[in-house]
Amino acid sequence: MHLEKIKPRRVYEDVLEQITKLMSKGKINPGDRLMGEREMANALGVSRTTLREALRTLEHLGLVDIKPGGGTFVKDQNLNQVISPLALALSVEQNSFHDLWEIRFSLEVTAAGLAAQQATPENLQYIEAALREMLSCWSDHASFSKADLRFHYMIAQASQNAMMSRLLQTFVVHLYEMSLKAGYSRFMHDREGVQTINEHSRIFEAIKNRNPEQARLSMQEHLQGVRRDLEGLLEDSTIDDSNMPKV
Amino acid sequence: MHLEKIKPRRVYEDVLEQITKLMSKGKINPGDRLMGEREMANALGVSRTTLREALRTLEHLGLVDIKPGGGTFVKDQNLNQVISPLALALSVEQNSFHDLWEIRFSLEVTAAGLAAQQATPENLQYIEAALREMLSCWSDHASFSKADLRFHYMIAQASQNAMMSRLLQTFVVHLYEMSLKAGYSRFMHDREGVQTINEHSRIFEAIKNRNPEQARLSMQEHLQGVRRDLEGLLEDSTIDDSNMPKV
DNA sequence: TAGGTACACTGGTTGGACCAATTGATTCTA
DNA sequence: TAGAATCAATTGGTCCAACCAGTGTACCTA
């Protein structure tokens, strides 16, 4: 027989529930300032300590902005501060590079297709700007990588899917950092300088020409190419690709 | 000129960093019991309150299990307790059904393909069991839906990608709950009883026959079908599909 | 009126206290 | 002696009162 472990209910969870409900029902709106901690704790009938645990949680979820000396404000969701709650979890959990890459691959190919359908002129402008910057500073590893990341992020943005964009950003950045640790930067130029520019251009053109299928295909090819390069590196790197929780 | 706002450093963030580093370096392993709060707070030179804010964060990330009266334990990642940090964020943020569905679609089609390549005999067994249960209790809405969800979850598991599985589970469950709120349950049977069984069977067969392309295709068709049904419902439902943060 | 200053208020942090639940050693019992 | 009941130490959960360091505002001054 298999029984579920019963979790003791905690007060701060009740508090969290009350506040989140107010937010999802629109009783509290972005930009609003919440009551002071002392006042709110009193209104809820809990201690300030407990209330603060709930507020801290809200902050981690990116739902609230706590300004010392100022107050607590409901975060404006339009700010694309991509601090996904996944980010920290990713940095700690022992996920294999392979697994994360599959997810990125899946999402980014989809995002490229969506971008081709729904990118605004402004989106296209940003994507092209990132592409130009890659061209202009391809001799500077750091700047090049930065522009590279921005290129991919701008495509995610162009998908007009905020959650997709957040997820992708999180995964892409994390994978990039994992690659750096494995020493990818040294060897990047062999490929990046010549090949990547072309691939990126193709992706951009497909999006610009409103060709979703081509955009998906170009993105697919690009990511497969990058991955091939990374694979050689991974074989004898410090990236742990085996210690993954199975099932 | 655009300047970034400087965030005052908080003590609990330092604490969080120390602990997470120990975890990612393997100094602390799943199952380990952390020091008592008083002792650890003393060792870190911070107050118990501050330490607790860090521990609470770790708990929300699913990295740690806090047992009142017992102690704090590093969570065993092998337990597929899918309490993604995303879950709460999803329940509060105003994400459009459409956006979440696109993500689910992308990931699940990929998962189906992977499952066809890598499913273990045990995986296949679980998937088939869920399928059988759907057949046996198709007259009971609740049980049917439960089996339906399990079917999809088991495929995600069969992809052998733990992170993918976690993400999918989170999105699928959330979308299901959103559907329920919109009154999907009443109308589900029109389609579910007849069509869905067939579609599910096709997906299972493709996975069983180790045919990734067919598995992807079958999953694609199934999800597109379900979505078509949902769309009619969404037009005049309580699901907010417009109030989504753009860009 | 413009500028500066004092003050009330905010979140951040601390230490101490008490509760309820768990745990493990101790003692009692059969 | 083996098992059961008991007790005490320990743990996390919650609360309280206090102080700090910033913020914002109202008031006062030049």
Side-chain angles (χ1 to χ4, degrees):
Chain A
M1 192 165 74
H2 181 262
L3 296 176
E4 283 293 326
K5 187 174 50 186
I6 294 179
K7 285 181 189 171
R9 184 74 174 169
R10 289 162 198 170
V11 178
Y12 92 92
E13 288 176 349
D14 287 329
V15 175
L16 193 63
E17 196 179 316
Q18 273 206 50
I19 299 178
T20 53
K21 274 189 180 174
L22 287 177
M23 294 177 77
S24 61
K25 284 182 181 176
K27 305 274 184 181
I28 306 177
N29 298 301
D32 285 359
R33 183 181 177 286
L34 269 50
M35 287 183 273
E37 293 184 353
R38 291 161 242 265
E39 186 185 355
M40 197 187 305
N42 188 51
L44 288 164
V46 302
S47 74
R48 208 182 139 208
T49 312
T50 301
L51 171 64
R52 276 174 62 73
E53 294 204 352
L55 290 178
R56 180 101 306 136
T57 302
L58 288 174
E59 190 192 23
H60 273 290
L61 291 171
L63 297 173
V64 120
D65 203 6
I66 303 178
K67 299 180 182 177
T72 303
F73 301 83
V74 179
K75 211 163 190 174
D76 188 349
Q77 305 276 345
N78 290 329
L79 293 178
N80 48 11
Q81 297 289 353
V82 187
I83 307 172
S84 166
L86 268 178
L88 186 52
L90 280 179
S91 72
V92 175
E93 283 191 30
Q94 292 285 0
N95 290 288
S96 79
F97 191 90
H98 182 258
D99 282 4
L100 300 182
W101 188 272
E102 271 169 350
I103 295 171
R104 179 218 174 145
F105 187 89
S106 176
L107 291 179
E108 195 154 8
V109 169
T110 301
L114 290 172
Q117 295 175 318
Q118 316 193 35
T120 66
E122 196 186 11
N123 288 142
L124 292 174
Q125 190 180 317
Y126 283 143
I127 299 172
E128 191 169 15
L131 191 56
R132 274 190 213 284
E133 192 166 336
M134 290 177 69
L135 280 167
S136 74
C137 62
W138 76 278
S139 60
D140 177 9
H141 288 198
S143 304
F144 185 89
S145 296
K146 221 173 140 189
D148 187 2
L149 287 178
R150 187 158 57 250
F151 177 81
H152 285 274
Y153 181 54
M154 285 308 164
I155 290 177
Q157 291 269 298
S159 74
Q160 313 298 340
N161 186 326
M163 178 60 73
M164 169 98 69
S165 173
R166 284 180 65 168
L167 282 176
L168 254 178
Q169 166 86 342
T170 305
F171 280 100
V172 169
V173 168
H174 188 65
L175 283 169
Y176 175 68
E177 284 168 357
M178 284 178 89
S179 306
L180 282 187
K181 282 184 190 167
Y184 186 56
S185 61
R186 287 172 305 147
F187 136 100
M188 170 167 60
H189 241 207
D190 298 347
R191 211 189 101 84
E192 293 281 319
V194 191
Q195 186 87 335
T196 300
I197 296 276
N198 287 336
E199 291 174 355
H200 279 192
S201 298
R202 266 200 289 277
I203 296 170
F204 172 63
E205 288 300 325
I207 292 175
K208 190 176 162 193
N209 295 332
R210 305 290 175 191
N211 189 337
E213 254 329 297
Q214 185 58 45
R216 289 175 62 93
L217 210 70
S218 302
M219 179 62 82
Q220 212 164 318
E221 285 171 359
H222 170 55
L223 291 179
Q224 279 167 346
V226 174
R227 186 180 175 185
R228 261 195 301 277
D229 293 346
L230 283 169
E231 263 171 5
L233 216 69
L234 293 181
E235 283 168 8
D236 50 3
S237 76
T238 57
I239 293 183
D240 187 349
D241 198 56
S242 62
N243 192 8
M244 158 199 167
K246 298 296 180 191
V247 178
Chain B
M1 192 165 72
H2 181 261
L3 295 176
E4 282 293 325
K5 186 175 50 183
I6 295 179
K7 285 183 188 174
R9 184 73 175 170
R10 289 162 198 169
V11 178
Y12 92 92
E13 288 176 351
D14 287 329
V15 175
L16 193 62
E17 195 179 318
Q18 273 207 49
I19 300 178
T20 53
K21 274 188 180 174
L22 288 177
M23 293 176 79
S24 60
K25 285 182 180 175
K27 304 276 185 181
I28 306 178
N29 297 301
D32 284 1
R33 183 181 177 287
L34 270 49
M35 287 183 274
E37 293 185 351
R38 291 160 242 265
E39 187 185 355
M40 197 186 306
N42 189 51
L44 288 164
V46 301
S47 73
R48 206 183 141 208
T49 312
T50 302
L51 170 63
R52 276 175 62 72
E53 294 204 353
L55 290 178
R56 179 97 310 134
T57 302
L58 288 174
E59 190 192 25
H60 273 293
L61 291 170
L63 297 172
V64 121
D65 203 7
I66 303 178
K67 298 181 183 177
T72 302
F73 300 83
V74 180
K75 215 162 190 173
D76 188 350
Q77 306 280 342
N78 290 331
L79 294 179
N80 46 14
Q81 297 288 352
V82 187
I83 306 170
S84 166
L86 270 176
L88 186 53
L90 281 179
S91 72
V92 176
E93 281 191 30
Q94 291 285 359
N95 289 288
S96 78
F97 191 89
H98 182 258
D99 283 4
L100 301 182
W101 188 272
E102 270 168 352
I103 296 171
R104 179 216 174 148
F105 187 88
S106 176
L107 291 179
E108 195 154 9
V109 169
T110 301
L114 290 172
Q117 295 176 317
Q118 316 193 36
T120 66
E122 197 186 9
N123 289 142
L124 292 175
Q125 190 181 318
Y126 284 143
I127 299 173
E128 192 170 13
L131 192 56
R132 273 190 214 283
E133 193 166 335
M134 289 176 71
L135 280 167
S136 73
C137 62
W138 76 279
S139 59
D140 176 11
H141 288 198
S143 303
F144 185 90
S145 296
K146 222 172 143 188
D148 187 2
L149 286 177
R150 186 158 58 250
F151 178 81
H152 286 274
Y153 181 54
M154 285 309 164
I155 290 178
Q157 291 270 299
S159 74
Q160 311 300 339
N161 185 327
M163 178 60 72
M164 170 95 72
S165 173
R166 283 180 65 169
L167 282 177
L168 254 178
Q169 166 86 343
T170 305
F171 280 99
V172 169
V173 168
H174 188 65
L175 284 169
Y176 175 69
E177 284 169 357
M178 284 178 89
S179 306
L180 282 188
K181 282 185 190 168
Y184 186 54
S185 60
R186 286 173 304 145
F187 138 100
M188 170 167 60
H189 242 208
D190 299 346
R191 211 189 103 84
E192 293 281 319
V194 191
Q195 185 87 335
T196 302
I197 297 277
N198 286 337
E199 291 174 355
H200 280 193
S201 297
R202 266 199 289 277
I203 297 171
F204 171 64
E205 287 301 325
I207 293 174
K208 191 177 162 192
N209 294 332
R210 305 290 176 192
N211 188 338
E213 256 328 297
Q214 185 57 45
R216 289 175 61 93
L217 212 68
S218 303
M219 179 62 82
Q220 212 164 319
E221 285 170 359
H222 170 55
L223 292 179
Q224 279 166 346
V226 174
R227 186 179 175 186
R228 260 195 302 277
D229 293 345
L230 284 169
E231 263 171 5
L233 215 70
L234 291 182
E235 284 168 9
D236 51 2
S237 76
T238 57
I239 293 182
D240 187 350
D241 197 57
S242 63
N243 193 10
M244 159 202 166
K246 299 294 180 191
V247 177

